[in-house]
């Protein structure tokens, strides 16, 4: 650990510098996004036929594919991000305070990418407002897709509120050192601010965090998102109560990995060795190992349930999934990462930030692969498995692959823009690390004397 | 709402007209319904008390329905009590006297009161607007079930795999290559081998001579509990209340494909690109109003575009030809579908499955007899032929000989036996075709019964001698002998529905062998490409995939 004392100047550095590397990164991210926007425009012009998708059944295709797989993956990253940040606040995990805001921003980015995927995936995105919102009061009773849109919107609002509220403290205190060109934005963000509200905001954020933690298993990646699949009776590869915990584990794995990569990038770019410390990476890596362990355990449960004396349809689906080389690859990546995390935990000299970075990339690749495969497997081995053309064929088209680049670009742009506007590390975190902020360690609610 | 709108309903005149036409479709008095609806609105506005409203129409409602269970009953009874001077406070509670209670009354009744007039008539709701009204109104009265549910009974042992239904469907709806709303396949599993293998024991009756294959005919099942409809985020996929057809509103669908994902049967086909046949090129587009030249390309029921092939970016599937069911293609096509009409061996029986006299019901409930009727009907001589060729005192053999020797008829003892057996077996069940649409099996049965009646004018078919000749004396019971005779002739198929355990409640019933869980499709008697159909649509779709590499798949 560094002995350097974190300062306000440290967290202001991203805002007040402008480097060539930043421009190159910005250009690359923008290029990725624009390239996909052009591809999407082509898709809108020609129809979804330009994708590799098709009709399952007699048609011999896969109804959903990379778009939906990537959609649930991004939602997972987003949900995991906000859970991470909420846990830091709720459980007083002060060690991770410096990355709490990065996790919140990851949530905003992930949800934006996921929302974008909903549009990209539709045959008639122009009807989103009239058809979906116009019949919302009826469809919300039945359609898991509508529940999905509902919770994603709710979480966007929740996360943005969360982020917006905590930013008021920082902006009002650091205002003099922030660039004048964004003056109107800061003014709006700190409208009506007085120091008296700090305590209230603290409490509000605590409750928001509590809501996030409570809702995560019920409504987020432990609930509504897996229900999109698990509730359908016709696709044995998707069904089962294990999907809730499975999705939640994947969400947390992806989010922790994502936050580690982003933290690594910021630490490297702005010399934040003393802010985003090695200690944080070690801790995150352990959490990643924990959730990876859960993930592999759930996978084992799902597979055993299918292959050992399962009903015919589940057995076929489970056997096909296990036999798929991409599935084996994804599981191997997750398992090897878990082995590494275990080893570095018992022998700390095996740890390095680069290795943590590699582990994060491996997990993200594994979860994305698993997600896409999960979606496609459903169509390949349905209960009504009589068709000669089923299992069908599917391979993502160039446009679909490009969507991954585009959405990654979108999220990168979000970070690049936000980092020029507001501090991505909380002032609270700096104050806390310096020890000058008398932040009571207990929760904001005073303990009740029984 | 414009000021010159004379309508009583807040949603305006158009809405009223639509409601009125819905009332017209029911068996009840439309005028009474509209009058009641008008006064019901006055109740919500506080101009009329619930009790007064109830009293005003009590007699007429009793006359029309034989009961009066409108929600205003309580208020009415309270008022009656009040009149007797026993419960004056009840009136305050229900009669909307004073601000607080009036608001409460209005809240309670709300739009519901308006629906009282309408709802009592058992009208059916269609479309999101109506279902909205139904949700707010008293449910028990507005959602009375329609007595029509279109569906099919498909005799798989009659299917010879000629694919005529598939091509007829494709032509009727101008479907793209590979969009096989109707799909016919041959299959095999452990217990049921196909024609290719020797020793096939499935084919055991005289009647099942049409195909050596195990067939499955798969249109949309138009499920009563359709999963596709449940998951739809837009209400585009909907069940028509008036006749239970499950349809897609092409103007509302957003193309998320969740219906295709949720359907366990795989009947949905997405319109991935522009349809091969442009909207303008569809036959009959020249004069959409002319019933002879009817286009159903942009067919509308109410305001919904639900028929024929879908435009780009939305989902399509078998519709069971709603333009036919609504009489847009002429009265003679009501109760038929393109596939049913095209099927040479009459394997597909379409109709109102809730009507006991309909073809699908008859075929489902009396498969043996119905098969015999369908098969015999085309050859059976008419009653006139019997009258002009048979004379009193003729023996059965003479009579058969006399009819068979004429130019316009063929007859043998077997045919007479089957006809007589049909007559015996139809004594205990419905025989009148009724006024249902195209109840052809019972109509055909009538022809057979007429023949039997005519013949029995001259010959006693139930004499010991005749029964022996007709082979109808196998058991002591005439009914049992007749049934055995029919089963020998037509077989006794079991019936099933596809994936019954999934709980979709399909409205297609099958006769014949049910494919087991490991059944797989095999090449059938007719190849798809031989009749210009594309089986694997992916082959076509892959051509347009950007960056497609042949043979690479997840």
């Amino acid at each position: 650990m560094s002995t350097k004392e974190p300062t306000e100047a440290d967290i202001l550095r991203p805002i007040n510098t402008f480097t060539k590397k930043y421009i190159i990164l910005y250009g690359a991210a923008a290029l990725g996004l624009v390239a996909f926007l052009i591809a999407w425009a082509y898709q809108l012009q020609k129809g979804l036929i330009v994708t590799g998708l098709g009709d399952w059944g007699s048609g011999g295709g896969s109804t959903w594919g990379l778009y939906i797989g990537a959609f649930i993956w991004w939602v997972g990253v987003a949900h995991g991000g906000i859970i991470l940040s909420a846990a830091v606040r709720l459980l007083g995990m002060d060690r991770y305070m410096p990355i709490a805001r990065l996790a919140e921003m990851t949530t905003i980015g992930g949800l934006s990418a996921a929302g974008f995927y909903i549009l990209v995936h539709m045959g008639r995105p122009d009807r989103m407002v009239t058809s979906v919102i116009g019949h919302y009061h009826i469809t919300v009773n039945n359609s898991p897709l509508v529940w999905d849109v509902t919770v994603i919107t709710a979480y966007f609002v929740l996360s943005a509120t969360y982020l917006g509220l905590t930013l008021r403290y920082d902006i009002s205190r650091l205002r003099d050192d922030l660039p004048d060109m964004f003056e109107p934005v800061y003014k709006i963000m700190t409208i009506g601010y007085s120091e008296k509200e700090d305590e209230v905001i603290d409490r509000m954020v605590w409750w928001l965090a509590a809501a996030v933690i409570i809702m995560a298993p019920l409504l987020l990646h432990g609930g509504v998102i897996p229900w999109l699949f698990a509730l359908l009776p016709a696709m044995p590869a998707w069904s089962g109560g294990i999907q809730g915990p499975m999705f939640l584990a994947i969400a947390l794995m992806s989010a922790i990995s994502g936050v580690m990569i982003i933290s690594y990038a910021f630490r490297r770019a702005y010399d934040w060795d003393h802010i985003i410390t090695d200690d944080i990476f070690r801790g995150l890596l352990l959490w990643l190992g924990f959730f990876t362990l859960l993930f592999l355990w759930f996978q084992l449960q799902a597979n055993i349930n299918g292959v050992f004396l399962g009903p015919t349809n589940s057995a076929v689906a489970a056997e096909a999934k296990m036999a798929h080389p991409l599935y084996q690859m994804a599981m191997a990546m997750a398992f090897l990462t878990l082995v590494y995390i275990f080893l570095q935990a018992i022998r700390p000299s095996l740890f390095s930030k680069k290795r943590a970075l590699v582990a994060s990339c491996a997990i993200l690749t594994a979860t994305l692969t698993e997600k896409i495969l999960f979606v496609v497997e459903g169509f390949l081995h349905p209960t009504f498995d009589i068709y000669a053309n089923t299992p069908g064929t599917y391979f993502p088209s160039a446009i679909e692959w490009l969507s991954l680049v585009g959405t990654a670009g979108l999220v990168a742009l979000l970070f690049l823009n936000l980092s020029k506007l507001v501090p991505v590390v909380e002032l609270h975190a700096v104050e806390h690390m310096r020890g000058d902020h008398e932040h009571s360690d207990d929760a904001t609610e005073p303990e009740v004397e029984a | 709402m414009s000021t010159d709108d004379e309508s009583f309903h807040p949603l305006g005149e158009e809405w009223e007209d639509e409601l009125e036409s819905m009332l017209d479709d029911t068996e009840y008095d439309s005028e009474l319904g509209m009058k009641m609806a008008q006064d019901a609105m006055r109740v919500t506005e506080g101009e009329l008390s619930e009790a007064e409203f109830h009293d005003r129409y009590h007699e007429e409602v009793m006359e029309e329905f034989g009961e009066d269970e409108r929600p205003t009953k309580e208020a009415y009874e309270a008022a009656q009590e009040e009149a007797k001077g026993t419960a004056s406070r009840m009136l305050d509670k229900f009669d909307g006297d004073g601000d607080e209670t009036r608001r409460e009354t209005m809240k309670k009744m709300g739009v519901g009161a308006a629906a009282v007039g309408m709802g009592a008539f058992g009208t059916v709701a269609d479309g999101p607007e109506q279902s909205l009204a139904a949700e707010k109104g008293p449910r028990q009265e507005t959602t009375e079930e329609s007595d029509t549910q279109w569906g099919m009974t498909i005799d798989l042992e009659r299917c010879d795999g000629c694919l005529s239904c598939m091509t007829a469907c494709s032509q009727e709806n101008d479907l793209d290559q590979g969009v096989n709303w109707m799909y016919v396949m041959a299959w095999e599993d452990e217990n049921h081998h196909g024609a290719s293998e020797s020793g096939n024991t499935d084919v055991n009756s005289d009647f099942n001579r049409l195909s050596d294959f195990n067939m499955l005919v798969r249109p949309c099942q138009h499920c009563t509990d359709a999963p596709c409809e449940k998951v739809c985020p837009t209400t585009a996929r909907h069940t028509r209340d008036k006749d239970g057809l499950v349809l897609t509103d092409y103007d509302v669908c957003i193309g998320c494909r969740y219906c295709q994902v949720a359907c366990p049967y795989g009947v949905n086909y997405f319109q991935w690109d522009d349809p091969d046949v442009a909207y303008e090129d569809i036959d009959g587009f020249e004069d959409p109003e002319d019933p002879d030249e009817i286009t159903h390309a942009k067919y509308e029921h109410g305001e919904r575009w639900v028929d024929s092939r879908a435009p780009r970016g939305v989902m399509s599937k078998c519709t069971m030809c709603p333009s036919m069911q609504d009489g847009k293609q002429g009265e003679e096509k009501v109760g038929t579908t393109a596939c049913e009409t095209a099927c040479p061996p009459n394997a597909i029986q379409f109709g109102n499955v809730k009507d006991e006299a309909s073809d699908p019901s008859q075929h489902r409930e009396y498969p043996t007899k119905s098969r015999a009727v369908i098969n015999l009907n085309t050859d059976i001589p008419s009653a006139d032929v019997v009258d002009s060729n048979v004379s009193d005192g003729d023996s059965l053999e003479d009579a058969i000989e006399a009819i068979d020797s004429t130019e316009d008829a063929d007859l043998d003892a077997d045919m007479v036996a089957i006809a007589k057996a049909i007559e015996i077996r139809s004594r205990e069940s419905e025989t009148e075709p009724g006024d249902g649409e195209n109840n052809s099996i019972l109509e055909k049965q009538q022809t057979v019964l007429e023949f039997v009646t005519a013949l029995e004018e001259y010959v006693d078919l139930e004499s010991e001698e005749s029964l022996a000749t007709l082979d109808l004396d196998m058991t002591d019971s005439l009914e049992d002998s007749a049934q055995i005779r029919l089963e020998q002739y037509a077989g006794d198929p079991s019936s099933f529905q596809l994936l019954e355990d999934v709980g979709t409640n399909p409205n297609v019933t099958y006769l014949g062998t049910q494919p087991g869980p490991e059944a797989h499709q095999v090449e059938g008697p007719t190849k798809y490409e031989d009749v210009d159909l594309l089986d694997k649509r992916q082959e076509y779709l892959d051509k347009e995939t950007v960056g497609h590499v042949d043979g690479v798949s997840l």
Side-chain angles (χ1 to χ4, degrees), chain A residues 114-126:
Chain A
F116 186 38
Y117 262 118
I118 293 182
L119 287 177
V120 167
H121 146 89
M122 289 198 316
R124 291 296 302 261
D126 54 311

Side-chain angles (χ1 to χ4, degrees), chain A residues 154-214:
Chain A
Y155 261 75
F156 194 90
V157 173
L158 212 59
S159 318
T161 309
Y162 197 99
L163 187 58
L165 286 178
T166 51
L167 276 169
R168 288 163 70 88
Y169 179 91
D170 295 28
I171 291 172
S172 55
R173 277 169 185 71
L174 300 170
R175 179 61 199 91
D176 294 340
D177 299 314
L178 293 170
D180 289 334
M181 59 192 250
F182 299 129
E183 176 66 24
V185 181
Y186 299 135
K187 267 209 166 125
I188 292 170
M189 289 183 70
T190 56
I191 202 160
Y193 180 84
S194 77
E195 285 193 14
K196 270 185 269 172
E197 78 171 38
D198 288 348
E199 203 187 323
V200 180
I201 296 266
D202 250 13
R203 192 164 300 177
M204 282 173 75
V205 167
W206 189 90
W207 281 108
L208 280 173
V212 168
I213 294 291
I214 292 166

Side-chain angles (χ1 to χ4, degrees), chain B residues 270-416:
Chain B
F270 188 66
Q271 198 59 45
W272 299 96
D273 61 346
D274 282 313
D276 294 346
V277 180
Y279 178 43
E280 293 77 17
D281 296 338
I282 292 177
D283 277 348
F285 185 64
E286 304 82 20
D287 188 2
E289 296 308 311
D290 181 352
D292 293 331
E293 253 193 86
I294 184 72
T295 174
H296 44 278
K298 189 137 188 170
Y299 168 72
E300 295 183 358
H301 167 75
E303 288 177 356
R304 307 197 117 186
W305 174 15
V306 296
D307 202 3
S308 197
R309 98 280 186 280
R312 187 179 85 188
V314 309
M315 192 57 78
S316 78
K317 66 160 190 68
C318 155
T319 58
M320 287 192 174
C321 301
S323 59
M324 292 188 190
Q325 310 329 326
D326 293 345
K328 300 274 173 170
Q329 298 202 49
E331 276 306 308
E332 73 282 1
K333 287 200 176 174
V334 177
T336 69
T337 59
C339 53
E340 183 195 35
T341 311
C343 178
N346 285 313
I348 301 171
Q349 299 292 342
F350 174 82
N352 178 7
V353 295
K354 282 188 180 170
D355 176 5
E356 209 184 302
S358 73
D359 293 352
S361 300
Q362 284 291 316
H363 211 48
R364 184 185 65 230
E365 298 303 323
Y366 313 104
T368 304
K369 188 189 74 175
S370 297
R371 275 180 171 184
V373 168
I374 294 168
N375 217 35
L376 196 61
N377 167 66
T378 43
D379 305 323
I380 203 82
S382 70
D384 288 345
V385 174
V386 175
D387 284 336
S388 50
N389 290 291
V390 187
S391 40
D392 273 332
D394 277 359
S395 72
L396 178 56
E397 285 86 354
D398 294 344
I400 293 171
E401 176 62 32
I403 297 170
D404 192 44
S405 60
T406 61
E407 268 186 24
D408 39 337
D410 288 312
L411 192 68
D412 54 30
D414 272 346
M415 287 168 73
V416 177

Side-chain angles (χ1 to χ4, degrees), chain B residues 160-171:
Chain B
D160 62 358
C162 68
L163 311 185
S164 302
C165 54
M166 288 179 70
T167 45
C169 176
S170 184
Q171 278 161 18

Side-chain angles (χ1 to χ4, degrees), chain A residues 201-262:
Chain A
I201 296 266
D202 250 13
R203 192 164 300 177
M204 282 173 75
V205 167
W206 189 90
W207 281 108
L208 280 173
V212 168
I213 294 291
I214 292 166
M215 283 163 77
L218 291 175
L219 291 182
L220 288 182
H221 239 65
V224 171
I225 313 296
W227 288 343
L228 202 57
F229 303 91
L231 301 185
L232 303 177
M235 308 297 185
W238 293 342
S239 63
I242 196 73
Q243 299 302 352
M246 176 94 77
F247 270 54
L248 194 59
I250 296 174
L252 288 158
M253 286 161 73
S254 311
I256 293 170
S257 303
V259 168
M260 267 208 273
I261 293 172
I262 292 161

Side-chain angles (χ1 to χ4, degrees), chain A residues 42 44-64 121-125 127-128 131-132 135 137-139 142-146 227-229 232-235 238 312 324 326 372-373 376 379-380 383-389 392-399, chain B residues 128 131-132 135 178 180 183 185 187 216 218 229-235 249-258 260-270 272-274 304 312-315 498-499 502 515 517-521 535-542 544-547 552-554:
Chain A
Y42 181 71
L44 287 173
Q45 191 193 358
K46 291 278 174 184
L48 281 161
I49 194 167
V50 300
T51 66
L53 300 165
D55 305 305
W56 82 267
S58 78
S62 177
T63 305
W64 289 349
H121 146 89
M122 289 198 316
R124 291 296 302 261
R127 292 177 177 169
M128 184 71 189
S131 288
V132 178
H135 302 101
H137 59 292
I138 299 167
T139 53
N142 306 317
S143 178
L145 211 56
V146 177
W227 288 343
L228 202 57
F229 303 91
L232 303 177
M235 308 297 185
W238 293 342
T312 312
H324 203 293
L326 276 178
I372 296 173
L373 212 55
V376 177
F379 301 103
L380 300 187
T383 295
F384 192 54
D385 207 5
I386 194 169
Y387 297 104
N389 294 331
T393 55
Y394 168 71
F395 196 75
S397 69
I399 293 179
Chain B
S131 49
L132 178 66
E135 269 165 26
N180 298 318
Y183 191 69
M185 64 186 111
W187 57 268
L216 185 63
R218 190 236 59 201
E229 179 184 347
K230 279 209 179 70
V231 302
C232 177
T234 69
T235 71
D249 188 330
Y250 297 150
D251 282 324
V252 173
C253 175
I254 56 170
C256 71
R257 311 190 286 290
Y258 203 15
Q260 189 176 51
V261 173
C263 172
Y265 306 101
V267 306
N268 290 278
Y269 295 85
F270 188 66
W272 299 96
D273 61 346
D274 282 313
R304 307 197 117 186
R312 187 179 85 188
V314 309
M315 192 57 78
L498 271 184
L499 305 182
V502 176
E518 296 192 41
H520 56 275
Q521 188 180 354
D535 179 31
K536 193 175 184 181
R537 191 184 188 198
Q538 201 62 30
E539 287 168 7
Y540 167 80
L541 297 178
D542 279 346
E544 302 292 323
T545 300
V546 174
V552 180
S553 173
L554 282 185

Side-chain angles (χ1 to χ4, degrees), chain A residues 24-108:
Chain A
I24 292 170
L25 205 57
Y26 200 99
L31 189 70
L33 179 60
V34 169
F36 176 62
L37 286 178
I38 293 168
W40 184 36
Y42 181 71
Q43 177 186 303
L44 287 173
Q45 191 193 358
K46 291 278 174 184
L48 281 161
I49 194 167
V50 300
T51 66
L53 300 165
D55 305 305
W56 82 267
S58 78
S62 177
T63 305
W64 289 349
L66 186 147
Y67 286 157
I68 291 293
F71 159 74
I72 50 176
W73 184 76
W74 275 121
V75 177
V77 169
H79 287 169
I82 195 75
I83 293 167
L84 207 66
S85 153
V88 170
R89 292 191 198 285
L90 203 62
L91 308 176
M93 296 158 82
D94 294 338
R95 181 186 186 184
Y96 301 106
M97 267 172 80
I99 56 152
R101 185 166 288 160
L102 284 175
E104 287 150 29
M105 290 175 168
T106 307
T107 296
I108 300 288

